């Protein structure tokens, strides 16, 4: 029995509110239950130094938790003067995931930065960030296409992410914080609409896991991502 | 004529939404028109080193802008590895203002941190932060009193802040971004319910100002703060 | 009764020694009683990145306390690896104040940096810095005009600053350290010769203050700045 | 055809030289072909703050590349003043992997730090680090058991890691640099002797991959790790 | 011929003004010609962590140049967020030199910090710092002995430092900036009253030097330090 | 009697293994007894900003100890976020020493960086670094000459360094760690083949020393460096 009463393959309620803030080229408040992340896409007409002169664009991600997004207040990374290893790991994952579905040539020599700021945390903040960031990116790209800055769509496919884990010996979908903090294994899947995999990060916590369990987690993730793809589609067409 | 069509002594619409996030002891989303700040109050049962052993508490503030709260994306202070002078100046102002209405002895040996994170900026973020932070602090103190941790109310008076300025030669109340960026003078007032002043910061930008103009700005600020005190009262009693 | 025996509207002895060091384009040791600040003006024939190509110059300030300028040794900011919020706040105030009396167009595309290093502190170091920095800036501008680098005087007016406060219930002028550390309110005024105000920063410490007290502090500040303007004039013509 | 002429499931030559340096409690130079990593285990009789008073030990990892371990010189992280996101990600993986096979209670209240310094890089430095660090840890634990400091073996199982990837459409084992830099997918597996999985990190680069390919990579990894387990056993018993 | 017209073994005028600032336990403005350094000694009744519980004291040095002590303005180390290698090298030399003449046991469990802040630079700032810091230290120790905090004198001998160099092929004493910047070799000697050597740092710049030249530089240094010892004695007894 | 049983003028065994790593333009593992340093030379076809446009090259050094090169683990400078004063001092010495024998004009507008990473420490790591770095630099220069990038040899002379000290009252050559940690004086000499001196750094530790002792240390250093020059010659011609 899961603490939330959900069944093993049951997602939390997903909401995706577009236009949450007004300045960004794409702005989305995404919720997976009590996990709420503000994802904004910012377009800049320049690329980082290592990409200059290639005629290609760049997509990157940044991630942060507000200090009191969590049960107890965490210290502010800006005040400490550096980003934690965890933050950097998540930022790299967000950028890598979104680049895996973006045609950088078609994007043209510009950069889109996806800022994912966790307003409230209840497990799964990195996967919610990726799923929400795709919508923000989609909106920003739509704007670039509408204005004629981009001719061909550089973002033909959706991408989504979800965490699964082995909780009390059972593979379950979409871990919330109470499950995550006591799971035997924790796996994040980044999946592309149509069935392909962009990234798997599956880590044993305490107990280790075997190949069969890995496959069961992957299948749960497919179920979950199909639901996210639908929510993304609805949000974009809204 | 103001860009927004407001009259010289007209505030923007104020909304104060309590309980915006669930973990903090006090949580408020405050809006002054398009300026939106999330203010949370976090109670910790310890005080900073310089306050230890005095039998008194501490109230402090932290401030940040989300990177895309503004028209163009600002770089993330955590990524740059340091907080700007502006951020530190605002943080110090928030903490000082709230301490000026808190009886630290009655608070007892605990710290309350007010985190003010700007979700969307349209001028007046520091004054909105102070006005919203008071509500978050009030809610946190109410919780401490309800639980019996505090016996006597350490927060008997309200505090609010508002910016005024000289725009096109006319003193106006509650500057929005388009006014702020071209004002001749910019003044932030932190006022206490009942008429006293906690802080005045009045700065000439381009043109300088004289004593009479300073007084006219102060009187506008009184009008504005009276409106804020009402909104604070309504939010707390809601 | 003030600890120093001064009357409420009595300044400490002001001395302004020009040419204190030999390399800077302007160099001044300014004293307000036991507060001693070395102010140097350094001219560089380039402007910071955000000012390039505008055909205008820039004036900026930096501030530091020597570690043992104070009663107990403070740790060196260079060793700690960052400047405190207080230091940054003061630096910003110094630069903003001097820019308010400088015509940046007439200055031409060059930067003048005012370094204010506190040799000995006894209250009022930020206001002494501004008052001394104006003299250093004036000397540097005189040099640029003498060499023909500047045609029209970009610095037609003097600026000075002084702190006032409410000490034991009485508004007093030019707080020394013993007054400053126990004052009920502390106000720094930056005034322009002729009567206009560049900046007011008035902060309640413990007790709050009202409009009438603010005005009395402002009038004391006028008295003090008139005396500083005379000392500046004497120093420059010496 | 692989650039090295190896078959798809062929590892590079593994060598594990123990006692490479004399001060560390465990010291190993591990080579996978031209990738060479010095792994040392340092025992300290104290634990980090978050583990104090629990009666348990801690195992952690640090990782660095010498500046000229690579084709072109990389700047030194100590000179830049911060560790890259990549470095931190690898350090966290090394520590997590070794903790997954260590019984921290049996280790007792002491810390073992595994320093993995890459002397020469040719792909697979993080997996070589984990595989070598286990040997260094084993040697350090043997020393603690020989001295009587530890009664029961806290490290009953071996752990090893290997990278696999899809190169020119074919899943291959133990990528070298020339393969890694142009692979379609890159997967790092951390496996435990006996068949369980500690960690999978599988990332699409350019092309994405599907479930069947993930499984083929996992099976290649099993083949590779079996070979590493043998080399580890030989090194420890030497 | 030296630029200053001095003979090869001629020092610049030395002045040592005690009591330059009022808060420090020892305060000295030392000048060697146009090189002016403010040296203060600060006594703290605690020692750094690595000295705790040994019943001994500690003496340490810090060094900084004011930004415009030099011909062209140098950026402020506090603003850059780190001390240069040169600064750290000089700080270490100051501390080591003064410790070489201090009996740390007799000093007792307290720390004396010598802050050497260069007000104006014209060559030889590190050696002027050491020579001046000794006087500041002596004054601070005198105060501790007068108050009864120290029973036996922990500072029985004087220490002084001077730079020599090979300028246009000739060994000369007490290099000023114009000599220093074009010298073939630059040597700093730290000598103890009575003839012993605390430190020699002799560096070839461009040309290298031989044993005979090293000895001639050492003999010049003895001449110079004898003069400094006299100035120190006069300053202390004044 | 020395702890190692060596006579006063007896060096430890020197080995210089070239080609220790494969990517660097010059790569050397140098050993003085149990002190082992990896020295690599990296050629880059650009110079640092302060050397641009002069038609000259630059030679610089970097230095680091692996965390467990020493008896007890030292914390990693990259993790602490800054290099120690000791590290910076040694880096500056390495660069300065190698530049003293390099004709920067003949090197052409390129930079060679000598990275000296201490694998194992037993005293004398900075002098071993200089002695080994010369060989790495020689090999890199040989490569540039062989490829025709350099016409005339910019490195006509060898340079070597050795530490000497006064141990139990006796001047001895090539201190190992047990001697170094209890020596009365510690002197590092950087000597040029043919007899000239590039640098002397002689520091009293506890006891001070006199001129005669300095000369005896210098003569020991000559003996040692002659032996190093032979080992360098053999390594280069191997």
């Amino acid at each position: 029995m899961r603490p939330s009463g959900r069944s093993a393959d049951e997602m939390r309620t997903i909401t995706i509110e577009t236009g949450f803030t007004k300045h960004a080229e794409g702005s989305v408040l995404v919720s997976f239950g009590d996990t709420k992340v503000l994802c904004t896409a910012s377009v800049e007409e320049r690329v980082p130094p290592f990409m200059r002169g290639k005629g290609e664009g760049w997509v990157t991600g940044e991630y942060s938790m507000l200090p009191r997004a969590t049960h107890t207040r965490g210290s502010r990374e800006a005040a400490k003067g550096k980003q934690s290893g965890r933050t950097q790991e998540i930022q790299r994952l967000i950028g890598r995931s979104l680049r895996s579905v973006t045609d950088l040539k078609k994007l043209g020599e510009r950069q889109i930065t996806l800022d994912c700021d966790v307003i409230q945390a209840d497990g799964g903040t990195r996967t919610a960030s990726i799923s929400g960031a795709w919508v923000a990116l989609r909106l920003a790209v739509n704007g670039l296409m509408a204005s004629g800055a981009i001719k061909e769509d550089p973002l033909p496919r959706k991408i989504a992410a979800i965490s699964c884990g082995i909780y009390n010996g059972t593979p379950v979908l979409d871990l919330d914080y109470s499950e995550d903090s006591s799971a035997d294994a924790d796996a994040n899947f980044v999946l592309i609409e149509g069935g392909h995999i962009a990234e798997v990060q599956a880590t044993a916590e305490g107990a280790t896991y075997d190949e069969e369990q890995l496959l069961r987690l992957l299948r749960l993730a497919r179920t979950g991502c199909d639901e996210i793809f639908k929510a993304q589609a609805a949000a974009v067409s809204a």
Side-chain angles (χ1 to χ4, degrees), chain A:
Chain A
M1 194 61 158
R2 304 177 71 174
S4 59
R6 285 187 280 150
S7 62
D9 63 351
E10 187 179 346
M11 298 279 284
R12 292 177 287 180
T13 303
I14 305 171
T15 65
I16 301 179
E17 180 181 349
T18 58
F20 188 74
T21 58
K22 71 171 187 176
H23 298 305
E25 283 72 32
S27 172
V28 165
L29 183 73
V30 64
S31 306
F32 282 72
D34 277 339
T35 289
K36 291 171 197 284
V37 185
L38 173 57
C39 306
T40 60
S42 295
V43 178
E44 289 166 297
E45 293 296 319
R46 56 189 176 73
V47 288
F50 63 87
M51 289 299 290
R52 275 179 206 149
K54 297 189 179 177
E56 296 185 23
W58 190 246
V59 173
T60 188
E62 297 203 3
Y63 171 93
S64 184
M65 285 239 204
L66 295 195
R68 196 54 197 282
T70 44
H71 284 79
T72 57
R73 186 176 183 272
S75 56
R76 198 175 281 271
E77 291 187 327
K80 287 193 295 185
K82 65 179 197 174
Q83 294 179 302
S84 71
R86 177 183 175 276
T87 291
Q88 292 189 60
E89 201 171 301
I90 294 174
Q91 294 188 148
R92 289 157 55 88
L93 175 62
I94 295 169
R96 202 162 60 225
S97 296
L98 290 166
R99 284 193 298 278
S100 77
V101 288
T102 307
D103 185 323
L104 298 177
K105 280 223 168 63
K106 291 183 181 165
L107 179 58
E109 204 152 337
R110 57 177 59 87
Q111 172 167 288
I112 304 184
T113 301
L114 284 311
D115 284 293
C116 300
D117 287 272
V118 179
I119 303 292
Q120 186 171 279
D122 188 31
T125 63
R126 80 184 69 187
T127 51
S129 293
I130 293 167
S131 300
W134 182 85
V135 179
L137 177 60
R138 180 72 264 173
L139 295 172
V141 166
N142 287 353
L144 288 166
M145 294 182 72
S147 73
I150 292 181
K151 303 298 171 205
E152 284 180 275
D153 187 4
L155 193 64
R157 294 173 299 168
K158 290 191 189 69
I159 197 163
I162 195 69
S163 80
C164 304
I166 300 172
Y167 177 74
N168 281 346
T170 305
V172 298
L173 176 62
D174 189 19
L175 300 178
D176 58 30
Y177 176 77
S178 64
E179 292 168 329
D180 190 28
S181 55
S182 63
D184 294 328
D186 174 18
N188 294 297
F189 295 90
V190 186
L191 302 182
I192 295 169
E193 201 178 20
H196 275 235
I197 303 170
E199 182 120 3
V200 175
Q201 293 194 343
T203 305
E205 314 269 1
T208 50
Y209 59 92
D210 61 21
E211 184 174 323
E212 192 194 314
Q213 286 171 314
L214 178 63
L215 289 180
R216 289 181 62 187
L217 294 175
L218 173 53
R219 277 153 205 170
L220 282 173
R222 289 200 189 287
T223 308
C225 286
D226 284 344
E227 195 170 325
I228 302 171
F229 293 135
K230 280 179 202 141
Q232 289 175 329
V236 169
S237 66

